[in-house]
Amino acid sequence: MSTKDFLEKDYYKVLGVTKTASADEIKKSYRKLARKYHPDANKGDAKAEERFKEISEAYNTLSDSKRRKEYDDARSLFGGGFRGAGQGAPGGAGGGFNFDLGDLFGTGTAGGGAGGGGGLGDILGGVFGRGGTRTAQTRPRRGADVETETSLSFSDALDGSTVSLRLAGEGPCPTCKGTGAKAGTVPRVCPNCQGTGQESKNLGSFAFSEPCHECRGRGLVVDDPCPVCSGSGRAMSTRTIQARIPAGVADGQRIKLKGKGAPGERGGPSGDLYVRVHVTAHPVFGRSGYNLTVTVPMTFPEATLGAEIKVPSHRGAPVSVRIPAGTPNGRTFRVRGKGVRRSDGTNGDLLVTVQVQVPQNVNGQARKALEDFREATAGQDPRDDLLQRARSV
């Protein structure tokens, strides 16, 4: 039984049973079809003879529990959507993938010939343990992503800043330049995996790739190892990079710096660097998204009679905010364009919350003025409405 047969032929359809059919159902269907298409009952009928062979082949596979499992696993792995060499593209209810099994298994003519080889036949040869060639080229490997942290002041986070980041990690050994071999020597291609770094693990009718035990996945064997890295080609090193943190970064935000991570292997690209930013608190300002927040104290007369007060702004002159008469404690006013810079160049707003201050020590003229005010407003009880609503419930 070939791998091509496993993928191309639907034995369940040949026997007219479902994929969940029991062994008894498979046997019953086989006997019925075998009697119908047996050569003795169809003398001289080539089509009946061919059909009998298909039925027998299907039954031999599906009646053996081990072979049936292998068949089901193979078709499940590759979806069963294939067509044979020379057939047209599948269509209608058939569906499937639009490529040729002849090309897939190295039997087609396109790009083939005696020296063709290669293609998907090599891949499936490795998966099913049924031969196939190996490439001697070791693929480049992308470097690992690296994560680090930095702390910024509140102001630097709003304005943007360039910081120095000292990174420690694995990289190519500076002595052997990543080869792992002692100076004056070179590593050789691993004879076990022919330089692929992978070897097949046989699981019955299947074989799966895993890192080569001889070279540990490198594809190269070092006979005279570098004394610094002991032949691994890797060594711990430190480096310092300058990273630009954009304006408006928030506390806890993660910044991605493409290509600033660990170096790649065998010409592969470097990984990315992720910088977690911690922003220290400001003694005056807070932040809500792209808006800055500030709480400003205000006197009772200012809240009652109205006033124009000065409010601090970040990295700028104070701004004036008009407080209307009768402003309650905790009201918030918005100053446009005095907040955090956005990526499109515009700014958020400054949110000003007023807090009425109650004097702790009042005497003299101020005390008399407050007593006169209390007498003048004695008939106004701000709690009347609250008491009435409480009683009505």
Side-chain angles (χ1 to χ4, degrees):
M1 182 63 55
S2 68
T3 305
K4 179 180 176 182
D5 288 336
F6 264 32
L7 299 180
E8 187 177 4
K9 296 181 179 180
D10 188 343
Y11 290 144
Y12 293 102
K13 186 176 181 179
V14 170
L15 294 180
V17 296
T18 65
K19 293 181 179 180
T20 58
S22 65
D24 289 339
E25 290 174 328
I26 291 173
K27 181 185 292 187
K28 181 178 180 181
S29 179
Y30 164 70
R31 288 178 174 176
K32 177 182 177 181
L33 293 172
R35 285 195 297 268
K36 180 178 179 181
Y37 293 101
H38 196 282
D40 291 344
N42 299 273
K43 294 187 181 294
D45 189 339
K47 289 185 178 181
E49 183 179 353
E50 185 64 29
R51 178 81 168 115
F52 180 78
K53 290 179 180 179
E54 289 181 355
I55 295 167
S56 300
E57 181 181 310
Y59 181 69
N60 288 337
T61 298
L62 299 185
S63 62
D64 186 311
S65 59
K66 182 179 178 181
R67 296 184 68 187
R68 181 180 179 181
K69 184 178 185 304
E70 293 174 355
Y71 172 74
D72 289 341
D73 289 345
R75 290 181 64 81
S76 174
L77 181 62
F78 292 98
F82 298 87
R83 60 186 174 88
Q87 293 178 350
F97 299 104
N98 188 18
F99 55 83
D100 195 318
L101 274 175
D103 295 335
L104 181 67
F105 290 96
T107 59
T109 58
L120 291 176
D122 294 342
I123 299 175
L124 291 185
V127 172
F128 286 97
R130 303 178 187 273
T133 60
R134 294 178 181 267
T135 173
Q137 297 180 352
T138 306
R139 294 180 179 178
R141 182 181 297 175
R142 180 182 180 274
D145 293 337
V146 177
E147 184 161 348
T148 188
E149 297 180 337
T150 189
S151 294
L152 294 180
S153 68
F154 189 87
S155 297
D156 285 343
L158 297 188
D159 298 335
S161 177
T162 299
V163 298
S164 295
L165 300 175
R166 187 172 179 82
L167 306 175
E170 248 194 6
C173 173
T175 302
C176 65
K177 303 297 187 291
T179 66
K182 188 177 180 180
T185 67
V186 293
R188 57 187 174 87
V189 175
C190 175
N192 184 57
C193 65
Q194 287 79 49
T196 64
Q198 301 288 316
E199 61 182 352
S200 294
K201 184 175 181 180
N202 197 349
L203 298 175
S205 296
F206 298 92
F208 293 90
S209 294
E210 62 181 7
C212 173
H213 74 279
E214 187 75 23
C215 63
R216 297 182 180 179
R218 292 191 65 203
L220 301 172
V221 175
V222 178
D223 295 315
D224 198 356
C226 167
V228 175
C229 65
S230 302
S232 68
R234 312 289 290 176
M236 292 298 295
S237 61
T238 59
R239 57 193 173 104
T240 301
I241 67 169
Q242 302 297 313
R244 178 64 185 173
I245 306 299
V249 64
D251 181 46
Q253 188 171 339
R254 200 164 172 247
I255 306 298
K256 177 182 176 181
L257 302 176
K258 189 172 179 61
K260 297 295 185 180
E265 295 184 49
R266 298 185 289 275
S270 297
D272 299 329
L273 173 63
Y274 292 89
V275 183
R276 182 80 64 180
V277 180
H278 300 286
V279 181
T280 57
H282 195 278
V284 173
F285 296 101
R287 183 169 174 183
S288 176
Y290 287 103
N291 297 323
L292 289 181
T293 62
V294 62
T295 299
V296 179
M298 183 174 59
T299 67
F300 176 72
E302 288 174 334
T304 304
L305 304 176
E308 187 170 307
I309 63 175
K310 293 291 186 181
V311 175
S313 64
H314 179 260
R315 293 199 187 283
V319 295
S320 296
V321 176
R322 181 67 183 173
I323 306 298
T327 295
N329 182 55
R331 182 175 176 182
T332 299
F333 297 88
R334 184 182 296 270
V335 181
R336 301 286 183 183
K338 293 296 182 179
V340 183
R341 188 186 313 162
R342 301 187 181 93
S343 58
D344 61 1
T346 62
N347 288 347
D349 302 329
L350 176 63
L351 305 180
V352 181
T353 301
V354 294
Q355 189 175 65
V356 178
Q357 297 293 300
V358 178
Q360 299 299 311
N361 298 305
V362 181
N363 50 38
Q365 187 178 358
R367 184 177 184 84
K368 184 179 184 306
L370 285 174
E371 289 175 347
D372 291 341
F373 175 79
R374 181 168 58 183
E375 290 179 7
T377 59
Q380 302 175 11
D381 189 346
R383 293 171 291 278
D384 273 348
D385 182 61
L386 176 65
L387 295 172
Q388 289 177 12
R389 284 188 286 120
R391 285 194 296 267
S392 66
V393 176

